[in-house]
Amino acid sequence: MKPVNALPGRGRLLEIAAHIVATEGAGALTVRRLARDLGTSTMSLYSHFAGKDELIEATADEFVIRFADALRAVPVTGDALDDFVRMSNRYRSISLENRDLYRVALASGRLSLASNTPRGIRDLFEYCVVAVGRCVAEGSLTVADPRDGLMVFWTAVHGQVGLEMERVFPSPK
């Protein structure tokens, strides 16, 4: 009987699943394929995920969790604009560090601001609105509505990430 490898940590397993989806499409991901790639049994995966759809949702949620944790981990100091710039830089870096997870989360709708996904992106957006509001209050940004101002910045950073991922835009140094 062929030995079965132990599953890697959940985060690594989801990274592997995300890589398959991001590079070959959702149709290429099956529990059987993932088990084969990991050198484990399908039963070991089914003990964690009911099936492919749940696996893709978990993969998208993994990015959302990392993304929210990364932005919230930026320290709040007495310089609101510097804090906000560091948050924007962290948005970019966490997305580029987790390219495949980011792509799956984006394609899955888990990064939607239109609805509050299970992992709370809308709550994270509101957290960032407060950061822009601090900049307005200290006079370092002039926008009538911090929410509208954040939408402009959020869109710009998201666009930069997309262009860098497609190697259309050089990464800033």
Side-chain angles (χ1 to χ4, degrees), residues 134-152:
R134 286 182 57 232
C135 293
V136 171
E138 80 175 12
S140 56
L141 286 178
T142 305
V143 293
D145 179 356
R147 183 176 316 291
D148 292 342
L150 178 60
M151 189 61 77
V152 170

Side-chain angles (χ1 to χ4, degrees), residues 20-21 24-30 52 56:
I20 294 168
V21 173
E24 300 176 43
L29 179 65
T30 64
K52 176 181 170 174
I56 290 174

Side-chain angles (χ1 to χ4, degrees), residues 114-138:
S115 62
N116 202 17
T117 62
R119 295 296 181 203
I121 279 294
R122 188 184 302 162
D123 293 341
L124 178 62
F125 188 81
E126 294 303 323
Y127 177 82
C128 295
V129 167
V130 170
V132 173
R134 286 182 57 232
C135 293
V136 171
E138 80 175 12

Side-chain angles (χ1 to χ4, degrees), residues 11-12 49 58 66 70 90 102 108 118 125 128 161 164 166 173:
R12 182 68 187 130
F49 307 100
R66 291 180 189 188
R90 194 63 189 124
Y102 174 82
S108 73
F125 188 81
C128 295
V161 166
E164 284 185 69
E166 297 304 319
K173 298 295 173 197

